[in-house]
Amino acid sequence: MEGFLKLYNTLSRQVEVVASVPGNFGVYCCGPTVYNYAHIGNFRTFAAVDLLVRVLDCAGYRPFFVRNITDIDDKTISGARTTGQSLATFTGKWTKIFREDCRALNLVEPSVEPCATAHLDEQIDLIGLLLEKKFAYVRSGSVYFRVSSWKSYGLLSRLSERELLMGDGNGAEKENAGDFVLWKASKESDGEVRYGSPWGEGRPGWHIECSAMAMKYLGNNFPIHAGGIDLCFPHHENEIAQTEAATGQNLAKLWFHVAHLRIGGEKMSKSIGNLYNLNDIREMGYSPETLRYALLSGHYRQPLNFAVGSLRASSRALGRLRQHGLRLVENAGEMPAMAEKFEIFSPLWEALLDDLHVPKALGLLFSHLQKATAGGYTASDARKELSEWLRLMKVFGFSYPVEKFSMQVTTPEEIVAIAEARKRLREDRDFAGADALREKLLGLGWSIQDGSGGYELARLSD
Ligand code: AMP
Ligand code: ZN
């Protein structure tokens, strides 16, 4: 282990040392509802969780990362109906687009990305258990969780009893307004989206999917459960109640919540018309990496105000990082292996280990760059720093600039462009297409090798 991570736990309202666990370290993040483009607020949460996973990985925790796809809810059902598509075709399309956006933002692929419709049995079993233990009841074909039967309801969100029991207005037949739905009886507007259950045809409520999938892939009492702050109540409170009532064990040890992205000081919302997605950012002339930088640059627990000016500043900052990477590559004369621990950047790494303090880490990074600009590098100093630089850029998810510039020192842009296109095809599992590009490269006099750290291009001798 290279140092322990400290994180704020919403459950205890304290910054805690995160203990490692034997084997894999489970992290669950509530994923997107796939009915439209994810907006950049969603991506703030996913980028912060991405940084968390990268820091865990770098520190030696061996993260096993699960992020679900919510493919069944009112919005996906109504989207499928409006477009005349089946639910699977409709959500499949939006899932694919979401994954493309994640790749563009260089978000680490989850170890598992389960979706709700593929885990109906697990959800039905969990609801069955709750009924058996009398934590739930059936009314008109729907099943509800009886909040009054779960004494520690509210422990996570710490809302007042009045707020906790206010309810969402749905389900007039409930015993109490604050009870929440586990299984929804079919209604007219669900169309063909209906599944069989011991309580009749219907579909699962939203909260139960995360409990069922988290438990299936991570067991009980797993290390970290993550999501945007708006999910703390009711979603996460309900996840805890369902799982813990059914199993008698804790769902997760630490609850990690990301504060919201705001636009011009306002909440992002459809009605205000200030919702942006990744394509909007591209249309403004900024790259996904620039957005990634902008989203990561604030502390994850502070609301982040987004403005076009912050993209401009992020683009400049990334430019300086690229330039420094390039300078190290040129001075080093060769690509060293990635460092196994930080020495030069150890204060910066400590800042990341301290509740992911990105603003402090970036401050240290840029003051390092300022000092470095003043002095020169010997080849061996440059190699040492470059080896740590590679590790640091991997933690931030900005390894790409170094890769790109290190190749551009010796490789024509046209060849790099083909290699990058081939990499994207391989990521999309289009191996035939990737092979065709390998042939094309060979024809142009370049061989390409794939390794764990990416590809390597080599000029064929004449
Ligand atoms: P959804 O697709 O609505 O289920 O949301 C996916 C994730 O994005 C959840 O973790 C939300 O908490 C998070 N989220 C939604 N809006 C924002 C926002 N403005 N800023 C940060 N995270 C958000
Ligand atoms: Zn969830």
Side-chain angles (χ1 to χ4, degrees):
M1 294 282 293
E2 198 193 339
F4 281 97
L5 174 64
K6 281 191 278 176
L7 281 182
Y8 182 81
N9 184 356
T10 308
L11 193 58
S12 66
R13 301 292 195 273
Q14 274 174 3
V15 175
E16 295 175 2
V17 174
V18 179
S20 62
V21 294
N24 288 332
F25 184 95
V27 180
Y28 186 92
C29 174
C30 293
T33 310
V34 281
Y35 69 104
N36 205 332
Y37 291 101
H39 59 69
I40 61 174
N42 302 138
F43 283 122
R44 180 190 193 196
T45 289
F46 298 136
V49 174
D50 183 67
L51 181 75
L52 168 65
V53 171
R54 285 167 180 273
V55 168
L56 287 167
D57 184 46
C58 186
Y61 283 85
R62 298 161 53 94
F64 185 84
F65 176 40
V66 181
R67 190 185 58 216
N68 72 302
I69 296 279
T70 296
D71 58 356
I72 180 160
D73 84 326
D74 289 340
K75 292 186 287 258
T76 57
I77 293 173
S78 101
R81 288 202 91 179
T82 323
T83 54
Q85 291 170 326
S86 70
L87 185 68
T89 307
F90 179 78
T91 56
K93 172 188 143 186
W94 288 110
T95 302
K96 185 161 177 280
I97 291 173
F98 174 69
R99 289 188 183 138
E100 281 164 8
D101 285 355
C102 288
R103 263 203 293 279
L105 286 165
N106 204 15
L107 301 183
V108 172
E109 258 185 50
S111 319
V112 189
E113 198 179 33
C115 63
T117 51
H119 294 80
L120 288 163
D121 289 347
E122 289 83 350
Q123 296 175 73
I124 289 173
D125 287 352
L126 189 56
I127 297 170
L129 206 56
L130 288 168
L131 279 167
E132 209 178 289
K133 296 193 173 183
K134 308 266 183 289
F135 287 108
Y137 57 91
V138 184
R139 281 281 187 289
S140 322
S142 289
V143 186
Y144 294 97
F145 186 92
R146 185 180 284 119
V147 164
S148 61
S149 66
W150 184 244
K151 296 295 168 233
S152 39
Y153 195 70
L155 221 55
L156 179 73
S157 57
R158 300 197 189 174
L159 295 175
S160 69
E161 196 168 328
R162 191 177 64 82
E163 290 165 308
L164 285 170
L165 300 180
M166 207 140 57
D168 55 12
N170 292 326
E173 70 271 24
K174 286 188 286 195
E175 282 178 4
N176 284 298
D179 294 349
F180 61 88
V181 73
L182 299 167
W183 184 264
K184 289 186 176 184
S186 284
K187 54 184 192 300
E188 184 67 29
S189 61
D190 291 341
E192 284 162 20
V193 182
R194 49 188 70 218
Y195 308 93
S197 84
W199 320 287
E201 283 195 327
R203 61 181 171 96
W206 167 39
H207 314 299
I208 198 77
E209 70 171 271
C210 285
S211 282
M213 295 190 281
M215 283 159 66
K216 171 164 180 175
Y217 294 101
L218 301 174
N220 282 105
N221 205 19
F222 58 84
I224 299 181
H225 193 312
I229 190 71
D230 56 309
L231 299 189
C232 182
F233 185 83
H235 186 53
H236 290 162
E237 195 73 64
N238 292 352
E239 275 188 50
I240 291 179
Q242 293 159 168
T243 301
E244 302 189 1
T247 66
Q249 291 189 54
N250 289 341
L251 174 56
K253 290 194 180 82
L254 187 140
W255 289 80
F256 177 89
H257 287 116
V258 182
H260 269 180
L261 183 74
R262 297 181 185 157
I263 306 252
E266 282 183 294
K267 185 176 178 282
M268 269 201 320
S269 84
K270 274 212 179 89
S271 54
I272 305 176
N274 61 359
L275 267 188
Y276 296 103
N277 62 39
L278 191 55
N279 284 335
D280 297 324
I281 302 299
R282 287 189 177 106
E283 275 169 27
M284 291 175 196
Y286 294 97
S287 66
E289 299 98 89
T290 303
L291 177 66
R292 179 182 171 93
Y293 187 99
L295 294 178
L296 285 179
S297 59
H299 191 268
Y300 77 91
R301 281 201 279 132
Q302 298 296 326
L304 181 68
N305 198 32
F306 175 84
V308 179
S310 58
L311 285 175
R312 227 176 291 130
S314 300
S315 171
R316 268 199 305 273
L318 267 183
R320 287 173 67 195
L321 296 185
R322 285 189 183 116
Q323 224 171 11
H324 188 69
L326 176 59
R327 180 164 175 236
L328 290 175
V329 172
E330 279 170 349
N331 282 283
E334 62 178 28
M335 281 302 257
M338 190 184 295
E340 286 182 2
K341 61 189 181 82
F342 290 113
E343 285 172 13
I344 302 167
F345 295 118
S346 125
L348 201 159
W349 176 236
E350 293 296 325
L352 290 179
L353 289 178
D354 185 10
D355 198 23
L356 303 180
H357 209 311
V358 177
K360 186 171 172 197
L362 289 177
L364 289 166
L365 184 58
F366 283 104
S367 63
H368 172 85
L369 258 55
Q370 213 158 21
K371 273 187 243 134
T373 319
Y377 277 101
T378 64
S380 85
D381 284 349
R383 268 199 292 278
K384 163 104 183 84
E385 185 168 328
L386 182 55
S387 70
E388 288 193 34
W389 183 263
L390 293 174
R391 187 175 175 85
L392 191 61
M393 292 299 109
K394 188 177 171 205
V395 172
F396 279 121
F398 301 134
S399 51
Y400 176 68
V402 171
E403 274 168 27
K404 192 169 171 197
F405 276 89
S406 65
M407 287 186 300
Q408 279 179 348
V409 174
T410 52
T411 314
E413 251 177 56
E414 158 203 12
I415 300 295
V416 175
I418 300 173
E420 285 290 315
R422 181 175 168 276
K423 182 174 152 201
R424 286 193 292 274
L425 289 177
R426 281 173 56 83
E427 284 164 354
D428 286 330
R429 311 210 146 260
D430 178 358
F431 296 112
D435 285 347
L437 289 187
R438 178 199 293 275
E439 288 300 314
K440 186 167 175 186
L441 283 169
L442 282 171
L444 292 166
W446 290 81
S447 75
I448 187 161
Q449 291 280 333
D450 302 299
S452 59
Y455 58 79
E456 256 186 53
L457 285 162
R459 184 101 179 88
L460 298 171
S461 47
D462 298 319

